[in-house]
Amino acid sequence: MDDKNQMTAVYPGSFDPPTLGHIDIIKRATAIFPKVIVAVLKNPGKKTTFTSEERLSMLRSAAGQEKNVEIDSFEGLLVDYVQKKNARVIIRGLRVISDFEYEFQMALMNRKLYPHIETIYLMPHEKYSYVSSSLVKEVAQLGGEVGCLVPPSVEAHLKLLFRKSKP
Ligand code: PNS
């Protein structure tokens, strides 16, 4: 593993769908790391609103043009994927204190599995601290305006999805 690869950071998540909070974290990560891989969890056992192809496509539209960003998907253990990519940093976003417990557990479990991989937390802009994929979906489903909380490609997907589901 050379120094350049060691400075690759993997930003994993469900991104179901990506929000402007996620995009904010991607931009912050690219300001620090020479390469950022946004890794979409592709878990056949986990029910998601959007398919992994849709989540990848929404991320590519919203962040694929960022310098040094690669959009990819992974299955299985995150730490195995990080190893495969010759990276040693995992990026996660921390919005509010209630995120902390889950994040702390995951970071320590990942450290137990691969002690040389570090998890680094970035805080999105405070205007996104209340934004989550699940709330965005709920609001969109009930006809609320989410255009200021998600990238345009995601807004379009949400409109299509919830228009389809209306009787
Ligand atoms: O956006 P999310 O749903 O909070 O992301 C969670 C994610 C994808 C980072 C986590 O579920 C994960 O890493 N899954 C892969 C399986 C794995 O490695 N599990 C052990 C984590 S300690």
Side-chain angles (χ1 to χ4, degrees):
M1 192 192 301
D2 63 24
D3 285 351
K4 194 166 166 280
N5 279 335
Q6 291 208 12
M7 291 308 288
T8 295
V10 174
Y11 177 34
S14 300
F15 303 107
D16 188 36
T19 68
L20 290 181
H22 293 126
I23 306 303
D24 181 280
I25 295 291
I26 294 170
K27 287 184 178 156
R28 286 173 201 278
T30 57
I32 302 170
F33 295 95
K35 182 172 174 190
V36 176
I37 303 173
V38 181
V40 174
L41 177 65
K42 197 172 155 184
N43 180 351
K46 191 175 165 185
K47 178 103 186 71
T48 52
T49 304
F50 294 101
T51 64
S52 55
E53 287 73 24
E54 287 171 322
R55 290 177 281 145
L56 282 165
S57 155
M58 287 186 272
L59 277 166
R60 286 199 181 105
S61 305
Q65 74 292 348
E66 290 291 326
K67 216 170 126 259
N68 299 338
V69 170
E70 181 185 320
I71 315 283
D72 193 17
S73 60
F74 76 103
E75 285 177 80
L77 276 181
L78 171 61
V79 285
D80 286 341
Y81 175 78
V82 174
Q83 280 273 111
K84 197 178 86 188
K85 289 292 184 179
N86 289 325
R88 54 164 303 191
V89 173
I90 296 169
I91 298 285
R92 292 284 290 170
L94 259 190
R95 293 164 301 184
V96 284
I97 204 78
S98 53
D99 286 343
F100 181 76
E101 199 171 317
Y102 169 59
E103 293 298 333
F104 190 63
Q105 269 189 323
M106 273 206 303
L108 292 185
M109 179 60 83
N110 285 333
R111 179 185 283 170
K112 182 77 186 161
L113 294 168
Y114 276 93
H116 65 280
I117 293 176
E118 292 293 351
T119 305
I120 294 182
Y121 291 92
L122 298 176
M123 282 174 290
H125 192 284
E126 58 271 20
K127 68 184 172 189
Y128 302 126
S129 57
Y130 64 93
V131 180
S132 69
S133 299
S134 47
L135 264 189
V136 159
K137 281 185 286 195
E138 185 178 324
V139 171
Q141 183 163 22
L142 297 171
E145 181 50 54
V146 293
C148 56
L149 308 177
V150 295
S153 57
V154 175
E155 189 186 12
H157 270 83
L158 285 167
K159 281 198 172 138
L160 198 66
L161 176 74
F162 294 125
R163 200 179 49 214
K164 267 190 203 154
S165 68
K166 273 187 188 161

